[in-house]
Amino acid sequence: MVCLLEGAATLYEYNDVFYVEKSDSLFLPLYPLSSASDQSKIETGQSLSLSKNYLNTLSYLLHDCSEIRDQIKTTKYTAGSLASLIKYYNMCRSLPYIEYQFGPPAAKFQWGLFSGINFSALNKKNDRYKND
């Protein structure tokens, strides 16, 4: 489980499912799929099912901050969008938070020309063959 943002409301991700923990008492999953979903028709006559279940869970958990109610409705089921919402919730409650940013490791290549002088201050002494 990866912690994406930690505060009064904390966001986790595990196997493409997000979880929200609020004040160490509620720990709820945000499921993208639901039996109660919105149906909208597209041009080909097929219906497209868009789940809004995670939005209901977010509305329940973050109900004590009225400033973000409209933002909850437009939040997408992505790490960036959910982390942004949880960040604004913590800011709304004036509570400290820690935002973690993970990126894939990347190799860095730099091209250039360099030159210089090899200088060493190391002096070699050989006391083994010294005559006294």
Side-chain angles (χ1 to χ4, degrees):
M1 188 168 275
V2 176
C3 181
L4 301 176
L5 193 133
E6 183 179 0
T10 303
L11 178 67
Y12 299 97
E13 180 182 13
Y14 181 71
N15 287 341
D16 296 327
V17 176
F18 297 98
Y19 299 85
V20 175
E21 180 182 26
K22 186 174 172 192
S23 303
D24 297 329
S25 61
L26 290 174
F27 186 82
L28 297 175
L30 302 176
Y31 292 119
L33 302 174
S34 172
S35 59
S37 59
D38 292 344
Q39 299 285 328
S40 44
K41 292 189 176 185
I42 49 180
E43 292 177 15
T44 61
Q46 298 173 348
S47 63
L48 178 65
S49 175
L50 301 172
S51 172
K52 300 291 183 183
N53 189 33
Y54 70 96
L55 297 177
N56 294 334
T57 305
L58 287 171
S59 294
Y60 169 72
L61 286 172
L62 309 178
H63 71 278
D64 53 341
C65 181
S66 61
E67 297 171 11
I68 62 169
R69 284 187 187 152
D70 292 334
Q71 187 178 357
I72 291 173
K73 295 174 187 175
T74 60
T75 301
K76 295 181 176 136
Y77 196 78
T78 62
S81 185
L82 290 168
S84 177
L85 178 71
I86 300 299
K87 176 177 143 181
Y88 287 125
Y89 171 79
N90 287 316
M91 289 170 49
C92 172
R93 303 281 296 150
S94 299
L95 296 169
Y97 65 90
I98 300 171
E99 186 174 9
Y100 301 101
Q101 294 182 352
F102 297 98
K108 184 176 180 181
F109 295 101
Q110 292 182 341
W111 297 93
L113 181 62
F114 62 92
S115 65
I117 299 172
N118 188 3
F119 175 75
S120 174
L122 181 65
N123 293 326
K124 184 176 179 185
K125 274 181 136 180
N126 193 352
D127 291 334
R128 193 157 102 186
Y129 298 109
K130 187 176 177 183
N131 292 334
D132 290 311

